[in-house]
Amino acid sequence: MNWMEKDEDLLLQRSFLFGATGIVLCLLALANTYYQVLEAPMGPLNGVGIALQFFGLSIAVLVLRKRKITETVKDKSKKMILVLGVALFFFFLVI
């Protein structure tokens, strides 16, 4: 089944899950660089977190570009794009 044919609420839920997981992974990598809890390179973990955030952002943009969507779904998608865009901007500045 194509991604454009899936339900908008399901796609927004997946966007939230990917984005939240990416933010948590980046926060874990950031916290470990400051507190040195684990002696391991945090670059790959940070990269996976940023990739997950980009994937969540792309799903939210995909939902926004669909044709006949309701206004509530459109507002949720815009909020998700804003939150993930700000989070990506923050984590790029932290790197």
Side-chain angles (χ1 to χ4, degrees):
M1 183 176 221
N2 195 354
W3 281 78
M4 290 296 285
E5 297 170 1
K6 292 197 183 286
D7 183 37
E8 292 89 14
D9 292 326
L10 177 71
L11 288 175
L12 281 178
Q13 184 181 21
R14 287 182 182 174
S15 172
F16 175 76
L17 288 176
F18 283 122
T21 306
I23 289 171
V24 167
L25 287 179
C26 286
L27 283 175
L28 284 175
L30 183 64
N32 191 42
T33 55
Y34 285 121
Y35 298 121
Q36 295 295 325
V37 177
L38 189 66
E39 286 294 326
M42 289 292 115
L45 186 65
N46 202 13
V48 168
I50 288 176
L52 284 172
Q53 289 178 43
F54 268 123
F55 191 63
L57 183 68
S58 68
I59 294 173
V61 169
L62 179 82
V63 169
L64 191 62
R65 292 192 58 182
K66 283 182 105 173
R67 296 198 189 264
K68 302 171 183 172
I69 58 173
T70 62
E71 201 62 36
T72 57
V73 171
K74 191 180 285 190
D75 288 340
K76 286 180 186 179
S77 180
K78 286 180 184 177
K79 288 178 188 176
M80 185 66 63
I81 290 169
L82 179 68
V83 167
L84 288 175
V86 169
L88 277 168
F89 184 66
F90 172 74
F91 288 118
F92 278 140
L93 289 179
V94 169
I95 293 177

